[in-house]
């Protein structure tokens, strides 16, 4: 067996083992069965032992209490300091059943945006599937696409099994550009790609957002990257990973004819944004001496640099954060792991230590044989049917089917894969 084939098999086995762990954890946390309680009846049932509490902006108030006497029972926490489990506990009234998907208010959901045009339907659905597969909190998908794909997106997502659909809601938007020439924006780099620049303007009711390209795969819960929002300081309003780790092999450091962030530039395929801050900020720029609002800045910057930008909207983001470096939080490369991190030798130390968190298969590697490791992971998630069988009798005991796979994977790894850190060789 060739090394590439072995690597692909090991990756498939590793994914299966991960699914086993997730399913086992869920099973182990279940409590002994209790008589069924309907949510509606639980809400209507009086609670004589304690007054009802209302969740309001992160604090509790006694129902019926006058406005003057309302005050938090505990000190107001720092924004974003509670995890999903504690938020669920706070939002649940006494006597209500535990169900994070049912009780978390929409303002606590994770918002995920993607822009898909042309032949990106399948790739986008696989990305969304990976997001749902591992995540815990409920998500709102914001899908921007051309008219011909709207009905197909809606049809495909509604056909997913209940185990998936209960974890998300989706909205589908047309491709629109609020300033400048729409045709110019449409043709900038790849079709529709520039739409991501206008998300703060379009999604006016969304506070924070995770944008990803269609060729992204989540290998761990989206909840984990969402937590980076808590690490923003008072001036930071977006987070991205570097385009490269080593300047001597970086594209921007060698070829760019325009300003770019840091020493290697940033990659916009995975972008976490505090939209509220973006909408209210005034950005330094190279067009006028004073600050400009986000929407007012986009087209003038494009007009000034359009003859020297190569990667379209990503180049514009690099220009913006070159002039406003204090506004950017840089997260590690394992959160946007691309072929560039391994095809020139392993140069993402975070991935070597912790593993890949978000896989970004740019360069079309999911659909050719140039990087079979990326392709194998994509196809494994695309073709995954195992969790769709949990409603059947045999599907309720997944450990029967996965236990030996996990053991086999471990033996194969110990026997065939020895990684010498620093040598970039695998035997």
């Amino acid at each position: 067996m060739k090394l590439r084939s072995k690597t692909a098999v090991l990756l498939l086995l590793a994914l299966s083992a991960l699914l086993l762990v997730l399913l086992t954890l869920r099973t182990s946390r279940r409590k002994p069965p209790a008589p069924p309680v309907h949510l509606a009846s639980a809400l209507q049932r009086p609670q004589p032992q304690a007054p009802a509490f209302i969740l309001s902006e992160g604090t509790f108030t006694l129902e019926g209490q006058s406005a003057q006497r309302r005050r938090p029972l505990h000190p107001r926490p720092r924004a974003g300091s509670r995890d999903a489990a504690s938020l669920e506990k706070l939002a649940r009234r006494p006597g209500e059943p535990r169900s994070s998907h049912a009780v978390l208010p929409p303002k606590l959901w994770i918002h995920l945006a993607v822009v898909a045009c042309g032949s990106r339907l399948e790739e986008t659905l696989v990305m969304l599937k990976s997001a749902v597969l591992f995540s815990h909190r409920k998500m709102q998908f914001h899908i921007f696409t051309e008219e011909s794909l709207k009905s197909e997106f809606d049809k495909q997502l509604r056909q997913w099994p209940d185990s998936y659909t209960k974890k998300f809601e989706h909205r589908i938007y047309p491709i629109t550009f609020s300033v400048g020439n729409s045709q110019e924006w449409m043709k900038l780099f790849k079709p529709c790609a520039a739409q991501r620049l206008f998300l703060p303007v379009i999604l006016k009711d969304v506070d924070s957002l995770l944008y990803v390209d269609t060729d992204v795969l989540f290998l761990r819960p989206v909840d984990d990257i969402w937590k980076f929002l808590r690490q923003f300081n008072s001036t930071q309003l977006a987070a991205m990973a570097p385009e490269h780790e080593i300047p001597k092999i970086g594209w921007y450091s060698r070829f760019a004819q325009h300003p770019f962030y840091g020493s290697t530039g940033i990659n916009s395929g995975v972008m976490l944004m505090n939209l509220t801050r973006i909408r209210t900020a005034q950005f330094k720029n190279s067009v006028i001496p004073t600050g400009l609002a986000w929407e007012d800045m986009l087209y003038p910057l494009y007009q000034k640099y359009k003859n020297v930008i190569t990667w379209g909207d990503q180049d514009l983001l690099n220009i913006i954060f070159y002039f406003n470096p204090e506004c950017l939080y840089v997260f590690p490369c394992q959160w946007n792991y691309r072929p560039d991190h391994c095809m020139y030798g392993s140069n993402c130390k975070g991935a070597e230590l912790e593993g890949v968190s978000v896989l970004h298969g740019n360069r079309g590697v999911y659909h050719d044989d140039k990087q079979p490791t990326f392709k194998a992971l994509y196809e494994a998630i695309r073709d995954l049917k195992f969790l769709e069988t949990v409603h059947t009798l045999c599907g309720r005991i997944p450990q029967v089917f996965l236990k030996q796979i996990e053991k086999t994977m471990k033996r194969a790894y110990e026997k065939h894969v020895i990684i010498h850190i620093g040598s970039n060789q695998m035997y």
Side-chain angles (χ1 to χ4, degrees):
M1 182 184 296
K2 295 182 178 179
L3 181 57
R4 286 184 176 180
S5 300
K6 287 182 179 179
T7 302
V9 170
L10 289 172
L11 286 168
L12 291 171
L13 292 174
L15 184 59
S16 298
L18 179 57
L19 292 173
L20 170 62
V21 173
L22 290 170
L23 290 170
T24 302
L25 286 174
R26 289 181 181 176
T27 302
S28 64
R29 292 175 182 171
R30 291 179 181 168
K31 297 180 179 179
V37 178
H38 294 289
L39 181 59
S41 62
L43 291 173
Q44 295 171 1
R45 186 174 300 150
Q47 303 292 333
Q49 301 300 322
F53 289 98
I54 298 174
L55 183 65
S56 175
E57 297 298 328
T59 63
F60 282 111
T61 59
L62 288 172
E63 188 173 18
Q65 191 178 35
S66 66
Q68 293 179 350
R69 296 183 60 190
R70 291 185 181 182
R71 61 184 179 183
L73 298 182
H74 301 287
R76 181 181 295 271
R78 180 174 55 85
S81 64
R82 290 189 176 114
D83 57 21
S86 61
L87 288 169
E88 175 199 348
K89 183 178 179 181
L90 289 173
R92 194 168 67 251
R93 293 173 182 244
E96 285 186 12
R98 179 186 180 92
S99 174
S100 61
H101 307 306
V103 301
L104 279 180
K107 68 179 181 180
L108 300 179
W109 294 1
I110 292 173
H111 289 263
L112 178 66
V114 64
V115 179
C117 290
S119 59
R120 301 288 181 145
L121 175 67
E122 179 196 89
E123 202 171 72
T124 305
L125 290 171
V126 176
M127 180 275 293
L128 296 175
K129 188 176 184 180
S130 74
V132 172
L133 189 61
F134 300 120
S135 295
H136 308 302
R137 287 169 62 179
K138 193 162 183 176
M139 289 178 285
Q140 175 76 56
F141 294 155
H142 302 274
I143 303 170
F144 293 80
T145 190
E146 52 198 340
E147 191 66 33
S148 60
L149 292 178
K150 285 183 180 180
S151 60
E152 192 61 26
F153 266 116
D154 190 61
K155 175 184 174 182
Q156 294 277 357
L157 290 171
R158 293 184 186 278
Q159 288 177 347
W160 283 9
D162 290 343
S163 58
Y164 288 177
T165 57
K166 70 181 181 181
K167 296 177 68 175
F168 72 90
E169 293 182 5
H170 69 277
R171 293 187 62 185
I172 301 175
Y173 306 78
I175 302 297
T176 55
F177 305 101
S178 59
V179 295
N181 187 305
S182 295
Q183 291 304 312
E184 282 186 288
W185 288 121
M186 280 290 293
K187 296 177 182 178
L188 184 64
F189 190 45
K190 294 181 179 179
C192 304
Q195 181 71 86
R196 79 187 79 182
L197 297 173
F198 294 86
L199 297 180
V201 181
I202 298 170
L203 301 176
K204 295 183 182 296
D205 297 327
V206 178
D207 175 69
S208 296
L209 182 76
L210 176 63
Y211 165 86
V212 295
D213 284 349
T214 62
D215 51 7
V216 160
L217 291 175
F218 294 97
L219 303 185
R220 63 188 289 178
V222 181
D223 315 51
D224 294 340
I225 192 171
W226 191 255
K227 291 176 183 177
F228 280 115
L229 287 167
R230 304 177 190 173
Q231 300 184 27
F232 284 15
N233 64 25
S234 60
T235 64
Q236 292 166 340
L237 45 75
M240 284 177 270
E243 173 70 12
H244 286 90
E245 299 300 301
I246 304 174
K248 68 179 181 181
I249 62 173
W251 191 91
Y252 284 104
S253 52
R254 292 186 294 164
F255 305 116
Q257 300 180 46
H258 58 77
F260 58 88
Y261 179 87
S263 60
T264 60
I266 46 177
N267 184 278
S268 62
V270 180
M271 181 165 54
L272 190 61
M273 295 178 284
N274 185 318
L275 299 185
T276 300
R277 289 186 177 184
I278 291 176
R279 285 189 288 263
T280 58
Q282 293 290 310
F283 294 88
K284 298 186 292 292
N285 60 88
S286 60
V287 179
I288 62 173
T290 60
L292 283 171
W294 182 269
E295 184 179 17
D296 298 333
M297 172 178 57
L298 294 176
Y299 196 63
L301 281 183
Y302 167 69
Q303 286 293 313
K304 180 171 182 176
Y305 293 104
K306 65 180 180 180
N307 294 325
V308 295
I309 59 177
T310 302
W311 308 112
D313 50 287
Q314 178 172 291
D315 289 348
L316 288 177
L317 288 167
N318 267 279
I319 294 169
I320 290 171
F321 289 107
Y322 168 83
F323 290 106
N324 302 271
E326 72 283 358
C327 294
L328 187 67
Y329 178 95
V330 180
F331 49 65
C333 51
Q334 64 265 30
W335 294 95
N336 187 354
Y337 190 90
R338 294 167 289 113
D340 302 75
H341 289 118
C342 51
M343 61 189 295
Y344 306 117
S346 181
N347 57 71
C348 178
K349 299 303 180 183
E352 292 177 5
L353 295 173
E354 300 180 12
V356 175
S357 296
V358 178
L359 192 72
H360 186 179
N362 64 332
R363 300 177 180 268
V365 293
Y366 294 151
H367 312 292
D368 60 32
D369 296 318
K370 294 180 180 178
Q371 299 296 337
T373 306
F374 282 75
K375 185 178 181 181
L377 272 170
Y378 173 81
E379 292 178 347
I381 295 177
R382 182 195 65 189
D383 300 333
L384 185 64
K385 302 290 183 182
F386 192 84
L387 290 184
E388 298 177 14
T389 68
V390 294
H391 64 284
T392 66
L393 292 174
C394 293
R396 292 174 184 172
I397 49 173
Q399 66 274 12
V400 171
F401 301 94
L402 296 178
K403 184 66 71 175
Q404 284 301 321
I405 292 178
E406 182 183 16
K407 292 181 178 179
T408 302
M409 181 199 71
K410 183 178 180 181
R411 288 195 299 267
Y413 181 86
E414 291 173 347
K415 182 177 180 180
H416 298 293
V417 182
I418 301 175
I419 301 177
H420 298 280
I421 298 177
S423 66
N424 296 323
Q425 294 181 357
M426 184 180 293
Y427 297 94

